[in-house]
Amino acid sequence: MDVIEELKKIISDSIDGIDTENVTAETSIKNDLCLSSLEMMMLSIIIEDRFGFEFKDSADFDTVGDLCYYIEKESNLSEGGK
């Protein structure tokens, strides 16, 4: 499963009322998904656990694609890691 599909699964399993069927790399995390700060914190923890890294304090993402790129970089997925 690629990162975006894994993220869609995490979002749909963790947050009620979000249809991830049409989520793409261009989907805005803030404007399209409309996640609360609590939901973002919860997702951050789940993503860290799933992909085996910790977000840096300065990490900020506009789109799902930005988040996927960050996950790939931090968890070494692009180098054949996990």
Side-chain angles (χ1 to χ4, degrees), residues 43-61:
L43 279 179
S44 297
I45 293 167
I46 294 168
I47 290 168
E48 288 175 340
D49 288 345
R50 166 59 185 89
F51 292 100
F53 71 92
E54 290 185 17
F55 285 103
K56 295 181 174 106
D57 290 339
S58 61
D60 188 30
F61 315 101

Side-chain angles (χ1 to χ4, degrees), residues 4-42:
I4 194 163
E5 291 303 317
E6 184 69 19
L7 279 176
K8 288 166 69 170
K9 182 174 178 357
I10 290 169
I11 292 167
S12 68
D13 289 350
S14 305
I15 299 177
D16 293 333
I18 294 185
D19 178 15
T20 59
E21 187 172 318
N22 296 318
V23 171
T24 67
E26 292 79 31
T27 300
S28 170
I29 293 172
K30 294 174 185 166
N31 297 327
D32 296 329
L33 297 181
C34 301
L35 301 178
S36 70
S37 57
L38 180 60
E39 290 168 330
M40 284 297 299
M41 180 62 68
M42 183 177 67

